Amino acid sequence: MPHLSQHCIFYSMDFRNTAKGDVFDALAVVVKAIANGHRLELVELMAQGEHSVEELARMSGMAVTTTSAHLQNLKQAGLVRTRRERTTIYYQLAGDDVAELYVAAKRVALRRSPALRDTLDDYLGAPSAAGGTIDPGAVTESMTVVDVRPRSEFDTGHFPGAISIPLADLPARVHELPADRSVVVYCRGEFCRLAREAAHLMREHGLDAVAMDEGVVEWRASKAVALDGVA
């Protein structure tokens, strides 16, 4: 018969393993919350600012009920927070660190998944989005930086010094851009095609325009990293 002290050791080991399992299970809840294509898209959209369920449904092309269910999943994992204004509930990311989580997952996936790289190349390689890109670190003060997201998203937050010309308004406003300066265009993120389409249109009007290869979601993620560094 095992000695009493042996029973205590076995019990202690089982307790530690169970507790550690609970920790990983709790982590899995957060990871599972973003392990869905629709919810990842919603995270990118909410990185632009707060939106109502109806707005997010319209922008993502999902039904309102489906969008609401995905948002509740993200909220239960602590990744989004809400604000009520009369009968409307607005959703936004719980913090820039959620954008950091999204960008980290994206970068690992792009590095490790040929399927994702091929799919993204096909999507961004459309004729209307043809052309090269520029890294944010290569942008200088001599360049004109244009934000082509909807104005409401620009007003929520944008790159320092950027001007707002939503893509839908660009054909009528392209003449406002200086012809003697390089133009850099950005949108919601690396998976967003708006900037590339805008730069392509600008080049057709004789401008020296290029799309930024990142956007607001990556910018918010970098802010979270910077804050972590300060702490």
Side-chain angles (χ1 to χ4, degrees):
M1 176 179 294
H3 191 271
L4 179 59
S5 62
Q6 291 179 298
H7 282 295
C8 293
I9 293 173
F10 294 150
Y11 175 81
S12 177
M13 291 177 62
D14 289 343
F15 176 79
R16 287 200 304 272
N17 289 337
T18 301
K20 189 173 184 179
D22 291 343
V23 170
F24 282 111
D25 286 342
L27 173 61
V29 170
V30 178
V31 176
K32 287 178 181 178
I34 66 166
N36 176 282
H38 292 306
R39 291 196 286 273
L40 285 169
E41 183 177 7
L42 291 173
V43 167
E44 184 186 73
L45 290 172
M46 286 183 287
Q48 318 306 314
E50 67 173 14
H51 294 288
S52 68
V53 178
E54 291 76 15
E55 290 171 337
L56 289 168
R58 175 180 54 79
M59 290 188 290
S60 64
M62 292 187 288
V64 172
T65 53
T66 303
T67 304
S68 180
H70 285 308
L71 290 170
Q72 288 304 311
N73 194 299
L74 291 168
K75 184 178 180 181
Q76 290 170 5
L79 300 178
V80 303
R81 62 174 182 263
T82 59
R83 176 181 68 85
R84 178 183 289 274
E85 186 174 306
R86 295 183 180 179
T87 59
T88 303
I89 299 177
Y90 293 92
Y91 287 80
Q92 61 182 304
L93 297 187
D96 290 337
D97 54 349
V98 180
E100 183 187 2
L101 174 64
Y102 168 91
V103 170
K106 173 177 67 77
R107 285 176 176 163
V108 172
L110 283 171
R111 189 178 300 119
R112 303 300 178 185
S113 172
L116 175 59
R117 292 196 299 271
D118 291 344
T119 302
L120 183 62
D121 288 344
D122 288 344
Y123 174 66
L124 297 179
S128 62
T133 60
I134 186 172
D135 183 89
V139 178
T140 67
E141 293 183 356
S142 65
M143 301 174 178
T144 300
V145 180
V146 180
D147 185 320
V148 293
R149 299 174 300 151
R151 180 70 196 213
S152 60
E153 296 181 5
F154 175 86
D155 289 341
T156 298
H158 55 267
F159 283 84
I163 62 174
S164 173
I165 304 182
L167 183 59
D169 300 340
L170 185 59
R173 296 181 57 189
V174 68
H175 66 277
E176 298 177 14
L177 297 169
D180 59 345
R181 299 182 63 180
S182 297
V183 181
V184 176
V185 192
Y186 73 88
C187 54
R188 289 168 177 152
E190 186 177 5
F191 290 173
C192 180
R193 203 166 65 186
L194 300 181
R196 294 169 184 251
E197 293 176 350
H200 181 73
L201 188 152
M202 291 176 187
R203 289 193 296 272
E204 289 183 335
H205 283 78
L207 295 172
D208 177 18
V210 65
M212 196 181 294
D213 60 12
E214 294 185 354
V216 171
V217 66
E218 289 85 9
W219 178 52
R220 287 195 61 177
S222 68
K223 287 166 61 181
V225 171
L227 289 172
D228 287 345
V230 170

